Amino acid sequence: VERMTARSSNGHDVDFHDRQANIAKADQDFGIVERYIEPGIPFEASFDLKPTDPSVAAAQNATMRWAARQSEPILILAGFPGVGKTHLAIAAANAIAHVPCDHVGPWQETGSTSKRTRDGDSDHVEMTVDYICPRCNGSGYEEGRPVVYRTEAALLAEIKGAISTNENDDLLNAFGTCSTLIIDDLGTEAKSDWTAAVMDNLVNQRWQMAEGGHRTLFTTNVKPGDLPPRMASRLGDRTRARQIEIKAPDYRQRSKQ
């Protein structure tokens, strides 16, 4: 079997097959299929909206390309609260985790029903057979790629809660190495030395993992240049990251008018 290698930026050979195996192992170890989205987030968010604001339209297009793995591995959506960043982030999570089923057959038989009728002296039996798609079980969607979604607050609380069992470092590493991670509201938590260190570590690790194909989406109310220096530097790396600023007015205020 021919193996593919590539030269990384640090001069070391990177084996493509080993890298893909590591990505798959990180997903399996973290159990993302069950935990990719936290309770209370509206699951129905999608890319079906047709924004009229140019900056929202640009952000939606960039997010769709990111979810389809057609852009830089790191995407930052910046803007004031209420401009649609969280909606786009959750739409991306759903687009990645659930793929429309395109199965055209064969179908799986799930049962049958019969109906007997009488026409004069003759009996007739009508048989109806029920079928279901074996790939999506009739839901219309297949399981896609694993993805983890967390707000910054939820992520920090989860890691902090693991300190008592000495699992915080393992959990942070799982967030840092999973194949696709979405962090909502980066930079909004009050910064203690501990929270600052955790987020700096995570952003740096995601920047490093981007070289191997790992993808990260951040939303933030903070201008990326105003983030802590190393974090701003990593997210400003145009070889791995793209920043989109949404300049639309708060849609929640518009809806009240």
Side-chain angles (χ1 to χ4, degrees):
V1 177
E2 182 181 358
R3 300 187 69 83
M4 298 171 58
T5 60
R7 180 72 66 175
S8 69
S9 60
N10 59 14
H12 297 143
D13 285 336
V14 178
D15 190 292
F16 175 81
H17 298 279
D18 289 344
R19 187 169 64 195
Q20 295 303 105
N22 288 339
I23 294 173
K25 185 176 186 303
D27 290 339
Q28 182 180 12
D29 289 347
F30 196 56
I32 318 177
V33 174
E34 294 79 19
R35 301 177 60 186
Y36 85 96
I37 198 164
E38 63 178 3
I41 299 297
F43 188 81
E44 294 80 6
S46 70
F47 292 126
D48 291 341
L49 298 179
K50 295 179 173 58
T52 57
D53 184 274
S55 66
V56 178
Q60 177 168 281
N61 181 62
T63 307
M64 292 173 66
R65 288 178 55 81
W66 176 86
R69 306 180 74 85
Q70 297 174 351
S71 66
E72 296 86 351
I74 299 175
L75 176 64
I76 305 97
L77 299 178
F80 291 117
V83 297
K85 302 184 303 297
T86 294
H87 179 97
L88 291 175
I90 299 170
N94 281 291
I96 294 168
H98 299 91
V99 180
C101 181
D102 59 359
H103 186 60
V104 294
W107 305 99
Q108 178 180 336
E109 184 176 339
T110 60
S112 62
T113 57
S114 61
K115 180 180 178 181
R116 183 181 296 274
T117 60
R118 187 171 183 82
D119 182 12
D121 295 331
S122 303
D123 288 336
H124 301 277
V125 177
E126 297 179 2
M127 182 75 68
T128 301
V129 181
D130 299 320
Y131 294 92
I132 195 172
C133 173
R135 277 177 24 186
C136 69
N137 290 323
S139 69
Y141 289 89
E142 297 183 71
E143 185 177 294
R145 302 190 308 274
V147 53
V148 176
Y149 171 94
R150 291 292 188 277
T151 63
E152 182 184 71
L155 181 143
L156 290 169
E158 195 168 340
I159 294 173
K160 191 171 185 178
I163 292 177
S164 61
T165 56
N166 293 320
E167 295 176 318
N168 52 304
D169 287 340
D170 291 338
L171 187 58
L172 178 58
N173 187 61
F175 281 120
T177 58
C178 62
S179 64
T180 305
L181 177 67
I182 297 175
I183 298 295
D184 202 6
D185 287 337
L186 176 69
T188 57
E189 289 299 294
K191 287 295 182 288
S192 66
D193 290 344
W194 179 81
T195 61
V198 168
M199 294 311 300
D200 179 80
N201 184 314
L202 179 62
V203 170
N204 185 60
Q205 191 169 14
R206 296 305 301 181
W207 174 80
Q208 293 175 332
M209 298 300 290
E211 184 179 34
H214 294 59
R215 303 184 73 76
T216 313
L217 189 156
F218 297 101
T219 76
T220 182
N221 301 335
V222 181
K223 289 186 177 181
D226 293 338
L227 291 166
R230 187 167 78 149
M231 192 180 294
S233 174
R234 295 297 187 246
L235 299 184
D237 180 358
R238 294 186 179 182
T239 66
R240 305 184 190 184
R242 182 183 182 190
Q243 298 180 4
I244 298 289
E245 183 178 1
I246 304 177
K247 299 179 179 180
D250 187 332
Y251 74 90
R252 287 168 292 202
Q253 296 300 321
R254 296 199 305 270
S255 64
K256 296 178 182 179
Q257 296 176 356

